[in-house]
Amino acid sequence: MTDKGAPLLALDKVETRIGPYHILHGVDLVVPEGGATMLLGRNGAGKTTTARTVMALWRASAGSITFGGRDITREDAPTIARLGVGYVPESMGIFSDLTVAENLRLAAISGHLDPKRLDVIFSAFPAIKRFWLGRAGTLSGGQKQMLSIARAIVEPRRLLIIDEPTKGLAPAIIANMIGVFRDLKATGVTILMIEQNFALARAIGDTVAVMEDGRIVHHGSMAELADDDALQRRLLGLSMSAHQ
Amino acid sequence: MSNPVTAPTTSDIPRQPLDWLPVALPLMVAIAAFPLVGNPWTWLTLTVAGLAMGMIIFMVSSGLMLVFGLMDVLNFGHGAFIALGAYVGLAVLMPLTPWVEATSVLLNSAVFALALCAGVIVAGVVGFVFDRLLIQPVYGNHLKQILMTTGGLIIVEQLIRAIWGSETVSFNLPASLRGSWLLGEAAVERYRIVALGIGSAVFLGLLLVLTRTRIGLMIRAGVENREMLEAMGYRTRHLFVGVFVVGAMLAGLGGVMWGLYLQNFTASIGAQINVLIFIVIIIGGLGSTTGCLIGALLVGLTSNYVGFAAPKIALFSNILLMLLILLWRPQGLYRVVDR
């Protein structure tokens, strides 16, 4: 059951340290259920650390994280994944020695692939079907990204955390991705996406959070940010005209 | 939404063709050795002996192939499980001497199977304790792994000495496994044929589990990117404990077989073969089951041929073999894990 607009994921004053480095300095972030929240910010702002902290791949040293009303701050990554959180890391995390089919079979925790979901994946990413029995390591960068996203949606998820899915991809592939993410949103899944490409962020996002130096410095609707050139320049150091 | 489709069965990407050259290497070595040996019956005897020795070496090495090759745990204590297997096998065979000496194939097979099972179980249990006490605290740190596992090997060896004594122990094979079959003028020992059969079964079993089962998929994926596997919902800690225990069990099985092959050994039986096992794994390529088997067969064949034709260089033959293979393929015959 989805309660559109109610927070699905909430971070409250989350701090993360990696070795001697203090990366997150009290992140407050709310991801409403049923939409796409874009996490923007310059390189090194702490976006990827935030995603990894939610997934428990790095531990929050202070603050709390709740998912669907449940405190997951001290849970481990497998538990969080089994609560219905799909994760697409920046590095894609493809198992290159396994075939495309094996990558997807492994991503299906239930142990079997749902033909209907497979159909959706094949429609969105025809390359997945074409290279089904090929080793994932032989795929191109764009195809690996498609496989990484396909893995995250091979079973129903409540939340998808996607870290820079368009990094290094050709414009034609990015245009295809926008369509895929819109279709995904239409299925009711909640998306938290880290993205540097503002055109894509504007096309998909409902809400936006901007990070700087390990803190959320702006939180609001995407439409509001897209309409305010001055705000964009102040927060992101960019103007919409450069991304039309 | 379009109609549901089933998973495709073909791929536009051509499957990587199997690299046959390493598979053909043992055959090439055997053919090359023929003129050196001269007599065809002697050559046949040496070849079967070499293959059987290779199979037993594969059995003792396959556990470390999983633990070092796949899990990246530099386990210098692997020999402890081999020694345990050999002594536990002995502990089963000695009190059941009437079954060992009986002329009944059934009783001989039963006592042999009991020895194998006991060796596997004890090595597995000790492997579990070994993993909890010595491996997990130093996971990811090679230097500490060497120190801890070497210490573990010494402790197990001393415990064996305390229980079974320091002297060389000797025992007989079950009656049906003694002696040879004659093929022309070639003598083929029965036990070596049994070793070939058991080794082949271990190889096929490992290959099937790693490539055809979900557990195998998880192991292969976890070796490449453990963090991603956890982010997909799998607990890798339990998985890797299981792999270590299976590695120890395989060493226990190999230990029983190696002990029966030698028939005379001391508590150092495991430590003595440790270096040879690392040579086999390095020749085969990290994490490759097929590479491990071919490496072991090459070591077995080379040892027998060189021991016969040029005994003076027999001590160096394995090092020389490893050197030649690494000059040809610096990553070993087959590489599964990039490290």
Side-chain angles (χ1 to χ4, degrees), chain A residues 11-14 24-29 50 211 214-216:
Chain A
L11 282 74
D12 182 28
K13 297 182 180 58
V14 169
L24 300 186
H25 300 268
V27 170
D28 294 307
L29 175 68
T50 302
M211 288 194 79
R215 292 181 183 86
I216 301 289

Side-chain angles (χ1 to χ4, degrees), chain A residues 36 122 169 192 229:
Chain A
F122 291 159
L169 297 188
L192 171 62
D229 258 9

Side-chain angles (χ1 to χ4, degrees), chain A residues 52 76 82 96 106 108 130, chain B residues 214 224 227 233-235:
Chain A
R52 289 178 60 86
D76 59 8
R82 284 171 184 266
S96 54
L106 204 55
R130 206 160 61 242
Chain B
R214 194 167 180 81
E224 187 174 343
E227 185 180 80
Y234 297 98
R235 290 183 200 287

Side-chain angles (χ1 to χ4, degrees), chain B residues 185-198:
Chain B
E185 292 173 30
V188 178
E189 286 185 30
R190 291 176 190 174
Y191 180 67
R192 291 180 176 181
I193 298 298
V194 172
L196 276 172
I198 295 175

